[in-house]
Amino acid sequence: MTNDAAHNMSELAVELLQRLQRVLGSGRRPVPLHEPCFRGNEWVYVKECIDTAWVSSVGKFVDRFEQELAGFAGVRRAVATVNGTAALHICLKLAGVEPNDEVIIPALTFVATANAVCYCGAMPHFADSEEVTLGLDPAKLDQWLAKSARLQEGVCVNQQTGRRISALVPIHTFGHPSRLEALADVARKHQLALVEDAAESLGSYYQGRHVGHWGKVSALSFNGNKTITTGGGGAILTNDPNLADMAKHLTTTAKIPHRWKYEHDQVGYNYRLPNLNAALGCAQMEQLPAFLDSKRRLATKYREALEGLDGARFVQEPPDCVSNYWLCTLLLQPGREQELDQILEATNAAGIMTRPVWALLSSLPMYRDCPRMNLECAASLERRLINVPSSPALCL
Ligand SMILES: *Cc1c(COP(=O)(O)O)cnc(C)c1O
């Protein structure tokens, strides 16, 4: 950094950088935002796949990974998929989303949430977020639907577009659970299927229960940057065995089980998680409790380091929730938005990888014309949120 740049840097950027450096110590630079940690049986299990030639779309690690996920999340069934987006796509289909429907999603989410809606031939309908959970604002959504939609023979219809609104998809932003109970009430009242995009929230609990229970089906992701990783991967969670069977069928080319015949009864998908990836997942599941402890310790360190700072605060888990603290997050005070770029500049220049939140999906070219409510809070959060290094190994 030149002297000039340092001179012009906001006090907040300087102070924040010092405090982050205190948390992260003087170790290796750069400190990645979130890197995977392989300190368990990864080599052993992956080698077993290669030694036995069970590397592809079926194998014992797939079955074991599914059972362990279901057990951990306390759901009856989990179906592993090739990634989280594919899981969400199938969840939406199973929830009854059809071409030409609208699906309510937050404008403040990763692009995959909207893309999965489009894969169904449906259209995202963007809703606003709230400051406490960083997730959908149930009261605002209820008011919006009461005003702009009507129930017609048990179907929620957008009065402006005439399209059916068929589902509601909350996400648990950076692992912080959304207000699931209130959102489930809104979904019931307006006849929407609730589907949780739980991609970021393995190990997060709402009112004592793991997330992924409030809708009929929900989606997880095991991408390289998530709390545990299979390289790429995802899963569908459900308490309904019939939906689980349908999920398995749809994600495995809709093949009718038979020892040699190729018979398929509908257009299915090749969304299977390879056994190689599931082997990685099984090794990661063994370490998940330790990763979650580490993330919680890191979150505590950040919170304590930021105490009393004027201009920004650490985002804590919402009341009555346990967050997995997938990505630790700072929130600038309203009015400090113009300092965001300087903070990103200063921290990244010092080798501490920080990132702003996603651009609101409602502003992306392919989603610019989609229906939406007023997105005031999401727009404010977009300019105030900063993710800081959160790898599970940082506090192991
Ligand atoms: C990561 C993520 C996904 C997609 O998961 P992939 O495994 O990358 O396809 C979907 N939604 C949200 C909110 C995510 O963070």
Side-chain angles (χ1 to χ4, degrees):
M1 201 182 320
T2 64
N3 278 340
D4 241 21
H7 186 82
N8 290 329
M9 207 156 74
S10 81
E11 254 178 67
L12 177 57
V14 175
E15 179 67 28
L16 203 56
L17 176 58
Q18 279 171 5
R19 294 187 185 213
L20 293 179
Q21 276 167 335
R22 226 173 291 149
V23 172
L24 295 167
S26 55
R28 140 183 97 96
R29 294 288 187 269
V31 190
L33 189 70
H34 198 290
E35 69 178 344
C37 176
F38 302 121
R39 297 191 189 171
N41 285 316
E42 284 86 357
W43 269 117
V44 179
Y45 295 165
V46 169
K47 185 171 186 302
E48 187 179 326
C49 295
I50 295 167
D51 289 344
T52 59
W54 286 91
V55 294
S56 195
S57 45
V58 288
K60 75 169 201 193
F61 287 114
V62 176
D63 300 335
R64 177 174 151 189
F65 187 48
E66 289 179 340
Q67 276 160 23
E68 287 179 358
L69 281 173
F72 183 86
V75 290
R76 289 180 73 176
R77 297 274 299 275
V79 174
T81 60
V82 69
N83 57 54
T85 313
L88 193 56
H89 177 196
I90 299 303
C91 284
L92 293 170
K93 283 186 78 83
L94 292 175
V97 173
E98 288 178 1
N100 220 29
D101 285 354
E102 291 176 14
V103 173
I104 310 271
I105 67 169
L108 190 69
T109 177
F110 180 55
V111 69
T113 316
N115 290 346
V117 169
C118 288
Y119 301 163
C120 296
M123 183 181 270
H125 181 139
F126 295 110
D128 202 11
S129 301
E130 53 152 32
E131 189 143 337
V132 175
T133 63
L134 309 178
L136 285 174
D137 181 334
K140 193 168 172 183
L141 177 60
D142 184 36
Q143 279 169 18
W144 169 246
L145 289 173
K147 192 177 74 175
S148 65
R150 64 173 189 279
L151 272 182
Q152 212 174 282
E153 289 162 27
V155 171
C156 182
V157 176
N158 180 338
Q159 301 198 67
Q160 271 99 54
T161 63
R163 282 189 291 256
R164 176 171 89 127
I165 307 177
S166 53
L168 167 61
V169 186
I171 79 153
H172 308 303
T173 316
F174 310 136
H176 301 305
S178 287
R179 289 184 203 271
L180 283 167
E181 191 172 34
L183 288 167
D185 286 344
V186 173
R188 215 171 298 120
K189 179 171 164 192
H190 299 278
Q191 299 288 317
L192 309 174
L194 183 72
V195 173
E196 287 173 63
D197 179 346
E200 304 181 354
S201 47
L202 179 66
S204 296
Y205 297 79
Y206 177 83
Q207 293 178 353
R209 254 163 122 205
H210 196 278
V211 297
H213 276 266
W214 272 261
K216 280 187 187 170
V217 282
S218 55
L220 294 175
S221 166
F222 312 111
N223 190 36
N225 62 346
K226 296 299 205 292
T227 299
I228 65 164
T229 187
T230 56
I236 298 161
L237 302 181
T238 182
N239 283 313
D240 180 336
N242 290 325
L243 285 179
D245 289 342
M246 279 157 71
K248 195 67 179 174
H249 189 60
L250 271 177
T251 53
T252 56
T253 70
K255 184 176 180 294
I256 298 164
H258 190 279
R259 272 160 60 213
W260 54 81
K261 278 192 204 161
Y262 293 103
E263 275 195 78
H264 306 259
D265 60 3
Q266 57 181 303
V267 179
Y269 299 84
N270 182 8
Y271 280 176
R272 294 172 286 207
L273 182 72
N275 199 47
L276 259 180
N277 299 74
L280 214 51
C282 289
Q284 292 268 286
M285 278 305 284
E286 293 169 351
Q287 298 159 84
L288 176 58
F291 290 174
L292 293 170
D293 283 350
S294 166
K295 282 172 164 294
R296 180 155 288 273
R297 277 195 294 275
L298 182 64
T300 304
K301 281 194 187 183
Y302 278 128
R303 179 174 52 74
E304 288 172 358
L306 293 182
E307 256 161 31
L309 178 68
D310 181 31
R313 66 173 172 86
F314 182 71
V315 177
Q316 282 183 258
E317 59 201 354
D320 234 356
C321 292
V322 176
S323 174
N324 66 2
Y325 284 105
W326 169 53
L327 285 186
C328 285
T329 307
L330 318 183
L331 184 60
L332 299 179
Q333 273 167 15
R336 309 298 287 257
E337 295 82 0
Q338 69 291 348
E339 290 171 84
L340 174 67
D341 286 339
Q342 290 185 48
I343 292 166
L344 294 170
E345 186 62 52
T347 48
N348 284 288
I352 294 174
M353 281 178 68
T354 56
R355 293 289 178 267
V357 72
W358 317 283
L360 293 194
L361 300 188
S362 48
S363 70
L364 301 182
M366 62 286 196
Y367 296 127
R368 204 170 278 154
D369 298 326
C370 292
R372 73 202 52 190
M373 64 160 79
N374 168 299
L375 299 171
E376 203 175 17
C377 181
S380 167
L381 289 171
E382 181 191 21
R383 289 174 290 130
R384 292 161 52 217
L385 286 168
I386 303 170
N387 292 130
V388 293
S390 306
S391 304
L394 281 172
C395 276
L396 272 183

